[in-house]
PDB file of all heavy atoms in Angstrom:
ATOM      1  N   ALA A  22      -1.120  -2.099  16.901  1.00  0.00           N
ATOM      2  CA  ALA A  22       0.169  -1.973  16.229  1.00  0.00           C
ATOM      3  C   ALA A  22       0.029  -1.652  14.778  1.00  0.00           C
ATOM      4  O   ALA A  22       0.736  -0.866  14.151  1.00  0.00           O
ATOM      5  CB  ALA A  22       1.075  -3.193  16.493  1.00  0.00           C
ATOM      6  N   GLN A  23      -0.920  -2.426  14.218  1.00  0.00           N
ATOM      7  CA  GLN A  23      -1.138  -2.147  12.725  1.00  0.00           C
ATOM      8  C   GLN A  23      -1.736  -0.843  12.329  1.00  0.00           C
ATOM      9  O   GLN A  23      -1.299  -0.191  11.475  1.00  0.00           O
ATOM     10  CB  GLN A  23      -2.158  -3.321  12.258  1.00  0.00           C
ATOM     11  CG  GLN A  23      -2.420  -3.278  10.770  1.00  0.00           C
ATOM     12  CD  GLN A  23      -3.146  -4.554  10.388  1.00  0.00           C
ATOM     13  OE1 GLN A  23      -2.802  -5.654  10.636  1.00  0.00           O
ATOM     14  NE2 GLN A  23      -4.257  -4.224   9.641  1.00  0.00           N
ATOM     15  N   VAL A  24      -2.648  -0.340  13.173  1.00  0.00           N
ATOM     16  CA  VAL A  24      -3.200   1.017  13.035  1.00  0.00           C
ATOM     17  C   VAL A  24      -2.063   2.015  13.189  1.00  0.00           C
ATOM     18  O   VAL A  24      -2.125   3.112  12.595  1.00  0.00           O
ATOM     19  CB  VAL A  24      -4.482   1.146  14.026  1.00  0.00           C
ATOM     20  CG1 VAL A  24      -4.830   2.685  13.984  1.00  0.00           C
ATOM     21  CG2 VAL A  24      -5.561   0.264  13.481  1.00  0.00           C
ATOM     22  N   ALA A  25      -1.214   1.777  14.195  1.00  0.00           N
ATOM     23  CA  ALA A  25      -0.141   2.748  14.487  1.00  0.00           C
ATOM     24  C   ALA A  25       0.767   2.933  13.233  1.00  0.00           C
ATOM     25  O   ALA A  25       1.509   4.053  13.182  1.00  0.00           O
ATOM     26  CB  ALA A  25       0.719   2.297  15.764  1.00  0.00           C
ATOM     27  N   LEU A  26       0.869   1.960  12.342  1.00  0.00           N
ATOM     28  CA  LEU A  26       1.719   2.137  11.216  1.00  0.00           C
ATOM     29  C   LEU A  26       1.171   3.272  10.314  1.00  0.00           C
ATOM     30  O   LEU A  26       1.991   4.003   9.633  1.00  0.00           O
ATOM     31  CB  LEU A  26       1.668   0.810  10.301  1.00  0.00           C
ATOM     32  CG  LEU A  26       2.430  -0.378  10.860  1.00  0.00           C
ATOM     33  CD1 LEU A  26       2.149  -1.578  10.065  1.00  0.00           C
ATOM     34  CD2 LEU A  26       3.839  -0.078  11.075  1.00  0.00           C
ATOM     35  N   GLY A  27      -0.094   3.481  10.315  1.00  0.00           N
ATOM     36  CA  GLY A  27      -0.664   4.632   9.439  1.00  0.00           C
ATOM     37  C   GLY A  27      -0.790   4.328   7.969  1.00  0.00           C
ATOM     38  O   GLY A  27      -0.778   5.293   7.208  1.00  0.00           O
ATOM     39  N   TRP A  28      -0.723   3.100   7.590  1.00  0.00           N
ATOM     40  CA  TRP A  28      -0.626   2.719   6.248  1.00  0.00           C
ATOM     41  C   TRP A  28      -2.109   2.890   5.601  1.00  0.00           C
ATOM     42  O   TRP A  28      -3.038   2.550   6.204  1.00  0.00           O
ATOM     43  CB  TRP A  28      -0.340   1.281   5.941  1.00  0.00           C
ATOM     44  CG  TRP A  28       1.134   1.077   6.278  1.00  0.00           C
ATOM     45  CD1 TRP A  28       2.188   1.953   6.704  1.00  0.00           C
ATOM     46  CD2 TRP A  28       1.911  -0.201   6.219  1.00  0.00           C
ATOM     47  NE1 TRP A  28       3.352   1.386   6.826  1.00  0.00           N
ATOM     48  CE2 TRP A  28       3.189  -0.062   6.510  1.00  0.00           C
ATOM     49  CE3 TRP A  28       1.497  -1.564   5.829  1.00  0.00           C
ATOM     50  CZ2 TRP A  28       4.080  -1.033   6.463  1.00  0.00           C
ATOM     51  CZ3 TRP A  28       2.336  -2.492   5.714  1.00  0.00           C
ATOM     52  CH2 TRP A  28       3.671  -2.342   6.063  1.00  0.00           C
ATOM     53  N   GLU A  29      -2.166   3.369   4.418  1.00  0.00           N
ATOM     54  CA  GLU A  29      -3.374   3.507   3.652  1.00  0.00           C
ATOM     55  C   GLU A  29      -3.115   2.521   2.492  1.00  0.00           C
ATOM     56  O   GLU A  29      -2.211   2.633   1.694  1.00  0.00           O
ATOM     57  CB  GLU A  29      -3.543   4.909   3.071  1.00  0.00           C
ATOM     58  CG  GLU A  29      -3.819   5.906   4.095  1.00  0.00           C
ATOM     59  CD  GLU A  29      -3.790   7.343   3.507  1.00  0.00           C
ATOM     60  OE1 GLU A  29      -4.525   7.533   2.505  1.00  0.00           O
ATOM     61  OE2 GLU A  29      -3.262   8.297   4.088  1.00  0.00           O
ATOM     62  N   VAL A  30      -3.962   1.449   2.372  1.00  0.00           N
ATOM     63  CA  VAL A  30      -3.815   0.327   1.494  1.00  0.00           C
ATOM     64  C   VAL A  30      -4.984   0.330   0.579  1.00  0.00           C
ATOM     65  O   VAL A  30      -6.187   0.408   1.019  1.00  0.00           O
ATOM     66  CB  VAL A  30      -3.765  -1.018   2.195  1.00  0.00           C
ATOM     67  CG1 VAL A  30      -3.528  -2.071   1.275  1.00  0.00           C
ATOM     68  CG2 VAL A  30      -2.455  -0.941   3.208  1.00  0.00           C
ATOM     69  N   SER A  31      -4.709   0.308  -0.690  1.00  0.00           N
ATOM     70  CA  SER A  31      -5.796   0.103  -1.724  1.00  0.00           C
ATOM     71  C   SER A  31      -5.356  -0.804  -2.756  1.00  0.00           C
ATOM     72  O   SER A  31      -4.129  -1.019  -3.032  1.00  0.00           O
ATOM     73  CB  SER A  31      -6.253   1.541  -2.293  1.00  0.00           C
ATOM     74  OG  SER A  31      -5.126   2.081  -3.010  1.00  0.00           O
ATOM     75  N   ALA A  32      -6.336  -1.510  -3.457  1.00  0.00           N
ATOM     76  CA  ALA A  32      -5.964  -2.476  -4.493  1.00  0.00           C
ATOM     77  C   ALA A  32      -7.010  -2.193  -5.724  1.00  0.00           C
ATOM     78  O   ALA A  32      -8.086  -1.914  -5.395  1.00  0.00           O
ATOM     79  CB  ALA A  32      -5.917  -3.866  -3.980  1.00  0.00           C
ATOM     80  N   ARG A  33      -6.547  -2.435  -6.902  1.00  0.00           N
ATOM     81  CA  ARG A  33      -7.428  -2.399  -8.011  1.00  0.00           C
ATOM     82  C   ARG A  33      -6.995  -3.327  -9.129  1.00  0.00           C
ATOM     83  O   ARG A  33      -5.769  -3.736  -9.115  1.00  0.00           O
ATOM     84  CB  ARG A  33      -7.539  -0.990  -8.558  1.00  0.00           C
ATOM     85  CG  ARG A  33      -6.335  -0.484  -9.092  1.00  0.00           C
ATOM     86  CD  ARG A  33      -6.439   0.998  -9.674  1.00  0.00           C
ATOM     87  NE  ARG A  33      -5.194   1.611  -9.921  1.00  0.00           N
ATOM     88  CZ  ARG A  33      -4.534   1.464 -10.981  1.00  0.00           C
ATOM     89  NH1 ARG A  33      -4.939   0.762 -11.885  1.00  0.00           N
ATOM     90  NH2 ARG A  33      -3.360   2.137 -11.253  1.00  0.00           N
ATOM     91  N   LEU A  34      -7.891  -3.840  -9.971  1.00  0.00           N
ATOM     92  CA  LEU A  34      -7.544  -4.620 -11.091  1.00  0.00           C
ATOM     93  C   LEU A  34      -7.336  -3.805 -12.287  1.00  0.00           C
ATOM     94  O   LEU A  34      -8.288  -2.860 -12.588  1.00  0.00           O
ATOM     95  CB  LEU A  34      -8.620  -5.608 -11.300  1.00  0.00           C
ATOM     96  CG  LEU A  34      -8.683  -6.732 -10.189  1.00  0.00           C
ATOM     97  CD1 LEU A  34      -9.980  -7.605 -10.435  1.00  0.00           C
ATOM     98  CD2 LEU A  34      -7.426  -7.606 -10.225  1.00  0.00           C
ATOM     99  N   ASP A  35      -6.271  -3.896 -12.953  1.00  0.00           N
ATOM    100  CA  ASP A  35      -6.026  -3.098 -14.276  1.00  0.00           C
ATOM    101  C   ASP A  35      -5.658  -4.075 -15.333  1.00  0.00           C
ATOM    102  O   ASP A  35      -4.509  -4.555 -15.375  1.00  0.00           O
ATOM    103  CB  ASP A  35      -4.826  -2.165 -13.886  1.00  0.00           C
ATOM    104  CG  ASP A  35      -4.465  -1.241 -15.034  1.00  0.00           C
ATOM    105  OD1 ASP A  35      -5.476  -1.138 -15.931  1.00  0.00           O
ATOM    106  OD2 ASP A  35      -3.451  -0.574 -15.055  1.00  0.00           O
ATOM    107  N   GLY A  36      -6.651  -4.540 -16.044  1.00  0.00           N
ATOM    108  CA  GLY A  36      -6.461  -5.538 -17.058  1.00  0.00           C
ATOM    109  C   GLY A  36      -6.048  -6.823 -16.351  1.00  0.00           C
ATOM    110  O   GLY A  36      -6.873  -7.276 -15.387  1.00  0.00           O
ATOM    111  N   GLY A  37      -4.948  -7.493 -16.723  1.00  0.00           N
ATOM    112  CA  GLY A  37      -4.589  -8.721 -16.127  1.00  0.00           C
ATOM    113  C   GLY A  37      -3.612  -8.495 -14.957  1.00  0.00           C
ATOM    114  O   GLY A  37      -2.762  -9.367 -14.727  1.00  0.00           O
ATOM    115  N   GLU A  38      -3.639  -7.331 -14.371  1.00  0.00           N
ATOM    116  CA  GLU A  38      -2.686  -7.095 -13.365  1.00  0.00           C
ATOM    117  C   GLU A  38      -3.429  -6.499 -12.126  1.00  0.00           C
ATOM    118  O   GLU A  38      -4.397  -5.748 -12.118  1.00  0.00           O
ATOM    119  CB  GLU A  38      -1.727  -5.980 -13.900  1.00  0.00           C
ATOM    120  CG  GLU A  38      -0.504  -5.722 -13.078  1.00  0.00           C
ATOM    121  CD  GLU A  38       0.456  -4.779 -13.698  1.00  0.00           C
ATOM    122  OE1 GLU A  38       0.068  -3.626 -14.023  1.00  0.00           O
ATOM    123  OE2 GLU A  38       1.598  -5.190 -13.775  1.00  0.00           O
ATOM    124  N   LEU A  39      -2.900  -6.937 -10.976  1.00  0.00           N
ATOM    125  CA  LEU A  39      -3.428  -6.350  -9.738  1.00  0.00           C
ATOM    126  C   LEU A  39      -2.406  -5.314  -9.270  1.00  0.00           C
ATOM    127  O   LEU A  39      -1.219  -5.469  -9.155  1.00  0.00           O
ATOM    128  CB  LEU A  39      -3.534  -7.468  -8.587  1.00  0.00           C
ATOM    129  CG  LEU A  39      -4.219  -7.104  -7.278  1.00  0.00           C
ATOM    130  CD1 LEU A  39      -5.056  -8.188  -6.864  1.00  0.00           C
ATOM    131  CD2 LEU A  39      -3.273  -6.622  -6.260  1.00  0.00           C
ATOM    132  N   VAL A  40      -3.038  -4.142  -8.969  1.00  0.00           N
ATOM    133  CA  VAL A  40      -2.141  -3.039  -8.468  1.00  0.00           C
ATOM    134  C   VAL A  40      -2.445  -2.672  -7.105  1.00  0.00           C
ATOM    135  O   VAL A  40      -3.535  -2.295  -6.673  1.00  0.00           O
ATOM    136  CB  VAL A  40      -2.383  -1.803  -9.407  1.00  0.00           C
ATOM    137  CG1 VAL A  40      -1.570  -0.553  -9.020  1.00  0.00           C
ATOM    138  CG2 VAL A  40      -2.220  -2.059 -10.863  1.00  0.00           C
ATOM    139  N   LEU A  41      -1.443  -2.937  -6.244  1.00  0.00           N
ATOM    140  CA  LEU A  41      -1.588  -2.661  -4.862  1.00  0.00           C
ATOM    141  C   LEU A  41      -0.724  -1.461  -4.386  1.00  0.00           C
ATOM    142  O   LEU A  41       0.431  -1.310  -4.599  1.00  0.00           O
ATOM    143  CB  LEU A  41      -1.085  -3.865  -4.015  1.00  0.00           C
ATOM    144  CG  LEU A  41      -0.949  -3.821  -2.553  1.00  0.00           C
ATOM    145  CD1 LEU A  41      -2.350  -3.803  -1.949  1.00  0.00           C
ATOM    146  CD2 LEU A  41      -0.193  -5.112  -1.920  1.00  0.00           C
ATOM    147  N   THR A  42      -1.362  -0.471  -3.825  1.00  0.00           N
ATOM    148  CA  THR A  42      -0.733   0.722  -3.455  1.00  0.00           C
ATOM    149  C   THR A  42      -0.798   0.814  -1.868  1.00  0.00           C
ATOM    150  O   THR A  42      -1.866   0.699  -1.237  1.00  0.00           O
ATOM    151  CB  THR A  42      -1.482   1.990  -4.032  1.00  0.00           C
ATOM    152  OG1 THR A  42      -1.506   1.794  -5.408  1.00  0.00           O
ATOM    153  CG2 THR A  42      -0.653   3.282  -3.607  1.00  0.00           C
ATOM    154  N   ILE A  43       0.393   1.065  -1.258  1.00  0.00           N
ATOM    155  CA  ILE A  43       0.525   1.173   0.161  1.00  0.00           C
ATOM    156  C   ILE A  43       1.166   2.482   0.390  1.00  0.00           C
ATOM    157  O   ILE A  43       2.316   2.738   0.024  1.00  0.00           O
ATOM    158  CB  ILE A  43       1.255   0.009   0.786  1.00  0.00           C
ATOM    159  CG1 ILE A  43       0.627  -1.314   0.531  1.00  0.00           C
ATOM    160  CG2 ILE A  43       1.347   0.184   2.394  1.00  0.00           C
ATOM    161  CD1 ILE A  43       1.429  -2.601   0.992  1.00  0.00           C
ATOM    162  N   LEU A  44       0.455   3.393   1.140  1.00  0.00           N
ATOM    163  CA  LEU A  44       0.985   4.759   1.382  1.00  0.00           C
ATOM    164  C   LEU A  44       1.301   4.842   2.901  1.00  0.00           C
ATOM    165  O   LEU A  44       0.477   4.406   3.695  1.00  0.00           O
ATOM    166  CB  LEU A  44      -0.039   5.821   1.002  1.00  0.00           C
ATOM    167  CG  LEU A  44      -0.465   5.768  -0.443  1.00  0.00           C
ATOM    168  CD1 LEU A  44      -1.576   6.975  -0.726  1.00  0.00           C
ATOM    169  CD2 LEU A  44       0.713   6.053  -1.370  1.00  0.00           C
ATOM    170  N   GLU A  45       2.422   5.421   3.159  1.00  0.00           N
ATOM    171  CA  GLU A  45       2.885   5.711   4.486  1.00  0.00           C
ATOM    172  C   GLU A  45       3.062   7.228   4.540  1.00  0.00           C
ATOM    173  O   GLU A  45       4.075   7.702   3.867  1.00  0.00           O
ATOM    174  CB  GLU A  45       4.076   5.033   4.968  1.00  0.00           C
ATOM    175  CG  GLU A  45       4.385   5.141   6.376  1.00  0.00           C
ATOM    176  CD  GLU A  45       5.642   4.230   6.788  1.00  0.00           C
ATOM    177  OE1 GLU A  45       6.639   4.116   6.115  1.00  0.00           O
ATOM    178  OE2 GLU A  45       5.488   3.598   7.905  1.00  0.00           O
ATOM    179  N   GLU A  46       2.269   7.922   5.448  1.00  0.00           N
ATOM    180  CA  GLU A  46       2.440   9.502   5.421  1.00  0.00           C
ATOM    181  C   GLU A  46       2.281  10.057   3.946  1.00  0.00           C
ATOM    182  O   GLU A  46       3.083  10.977   3.633  1.00  0.00           O
ATOM    183  CB  GLU A  46       3.669   9.804   6.125  1.00  0.00           C
ATOM    184  CG  GLU A  46       3.705   9.496   7.553  1.00  0.00           C
ATOM    185  CD  GLU A  46       5.054   9.795   8.259  1.00  0.00           C
ATOM    186  OE1 GLU A  46       5.846  10.429   7.663  1.00  0.00           O
ATOM    187  OE2 GLU A  46       5.170   9.490   9.510  1.00  0.00           O
ATOM    188  N   GLY A  47       1.479   9.520   3.226  1.00  0.00           N
ATOM    189  CA  GLY A  47       1.225   9.993   1.830  1.00  0.00           C
ATOM    190  C   GLY A  47       2.246   9.602   0.796  1.00  0.00           C
ATOM    191  O   GLY A  47       2.154   9.881  -0.432  1.00  0.00           O
ATOM    192  N   ARG A  48       3.275   8.803   1.118  1.00  0.00           N
ATOM    193  CA  ARG A  48       4.283   8.412   0.262  1.00  0.00           C
ATOM    194  C   ARG A  48       4.168   6.922  -0.038  1.00  0.00           C
ATOM    195  O   ARG A  48       4.022   6.102   0.893  1.00  0.00           O
ATOM    196  CB  ARG A  48       5.720   8.630   0.757  1.00  0.00           C
ATOM    197  CG  ARG A  48       6.022  10.185   0.917  1.00  0.00           C
ATOM    198  CD  ARG A  48       7.398  10.442   1.277  1.00  0.00           C
ATOM    199  NE  ARG A  48       7.851   9.645   2.474  1.00  0.00           N
ATOM    200  CZ  ARG A  48       7.618   9.999   3.723  1.00  0.00           C
ATOM    201  NH1 ARG A  48       7.137  11.105   3.956  1.00  0.00           N
ATOM    202  NH2 ARG A  48       8.172   9.217   4.736  1.00  0.00           N
ATOM    203  N   PRO A  49       4.284   6.435  -1.312  1.00  0.00           N
ATOM    204  CA  PRO A  49       4.244   4.992  -1.576  1.00  0.00           C
ATOM    205  C   PRO A  49       5.394   4.309  -1.102  1.00  0.00           C
ATOM    206  O   PRO A  49       6.543   4.783  -1.055  1.00  0.00           O
ATOM    207  CB  PRO A  49       4.176   4.921  -3.061  1.00  0.00           C
ATOM    208  CG  PRO A  49       4.693   6.249  -3.569  1.00  0.00           C
ATOM    209  CD  PRO A  49       4.489   7.204  -2.502  1.00  0.00           C
ATOM    210  N   ILE A  50       5.105   3.074  -0.431  1.00  0.00           N
ATOM    211  CA  ILE A  50       6.249   2.290   0.103  1.00  0.00           C
ATOM    212  C   ILE A  50       6.034   0.804  -0.426  1.00  0.00           C
ATOM    213  O   ILE A  50       5.056   0.522  -1.037  1.00  0.00           O
ATOM    214  CB  ILE A  50       6.212   2.266   1.648  1.00  0.00           C
ATOM    215  CG1 ILE A  50       4.854   1.644   2.146  1.00  0.00           C
ATOM    216  CG2 ILE A  50       6.333   3.543   2.262  1.00  0.00           C
ATOM    217  CD1 ILE A  50       4.760   1.412   3.628  1.00  0.00           C
ATOM    218  N   ALA A  51       7.162   0.157  -0.271  1.00  0.00           N
ATOM    219  CA  ALA A  51       7.138  -1.313  -0.760  1.00  0.00           C
ATOM    220  C   ALA A  51       7.586  -2.161   0.372  1.00  0.00           C
ATOM    221  O   ALA A  51       8.785  -2.666   0.439  1.00  0.00           O
ATOM    222  CB  ALA A  51       7.967  -1.506  -1.903  1.00  0.00           C
ATOM    223  N   PRO A  52       6.706  -2.522   1.365  1.00  0.00           N
ATOM    224  CA  PRO A  52       7.145  -3.333   2.454  1.00  0.00           C
ATOM    225  C   PRO A  52       7.293  -4.842   2.028  1.00  0.00           C
ATOM    226  O   PRO A  52       6.990  -5.135   0.862  1.00  0.00           O
ATOM    227  CB  PRO A  52       5.925  -3.303   3.466  1.00  0.00           C
ATOM    228  CG  PRO A  52       4.763  -3.102   2.593  1.00  0.00           C
ATOM    229  CD  PRO A  52       5.263  -2.138   1.418  1.00  0.00           C
ATOM    230  N   LEU A  53       7.892  -5.541   2.916  1.00  0.00           N
ATOM    231  CA  LEU A  53       8.058  -6.974   2.668  1.00  0.00           C
ATOM    232  C   LEU A  53       6.716  -7.723   2.587  1.00  0.00           C
ATOM    233  O   LEU A  53       5.998  -7.600   3.573  1.00  0.00           O
ATOM    234  CB  LEU A  53       8.929  -7.653   3.616  1.00  0.00           C
ATOM    235  CG  LEU A  53       9.128  -9.175   3.634  1.00  0.00           C
ATOM    236  CD1 LEU A  53       9.823  -9.622   2.382  1.00  0.00           C
ATOM    237  CD2 LEU A  53       9.850  -9.667   4.927  1.00  0.00           C
ATOM    238  N   ILE A  54       6.376  -8.329   1.526  1.00  0.00           N
ATOM    239  CA  ILE A  54       5.044  -9.021   1.351  1.00  0.00           C
ATOM    240  C   ILE A  54       5.430 -10.512   1.852  1.00  0.00           C
ATOM    241  O   ILE A  54       6.146 -11.197   1.076  1.00  0.00           O
ATOM    242  CB  ILE A  54       4.607  -8.859  -0.049  1.00  0.00           C
ATOM    243  CG1 ILE A  54       4.364  -7.506  -0.474  1.00  0.00           C
ATOM    244  CG2 ILE A  54       3.146  -9.736  -0.133  1.00  0.00           C
ATOM    245  CD1 ILE A  54       3.381  -6.747   0.290  1.00  0.00           C
TER     246      ILE A  54
END
C-alpha cells in the first residue's frame, strides 16, 4: 500500500532546519504528519 502511493521522499539538513520533500507524481505534497 505504501509503495502504491508512489511517493518520493527525501530529507536534508539546511543549517538549523530539516527540509523534508515528499513528491507525488513529481509534485510536492504536504500529507498529514
Side-chain angles (χ1 to χ4, degrees):
Q23 184 171 305
V24 168
L26 290 172
W28 289 1
E29 295 175 42
V30 180
S31 63
R33 64 183 167 82
L34 292 169
D35 186 14
E38 189 173 57
L39 188 141
V40 180
L41 174 67
T42 306
I43 302 175
L44 302 176
E45 183 177 47
E46 296 178 0
R48 293 185 312 273
I50 61 169
L53 172 66
I54 305 295

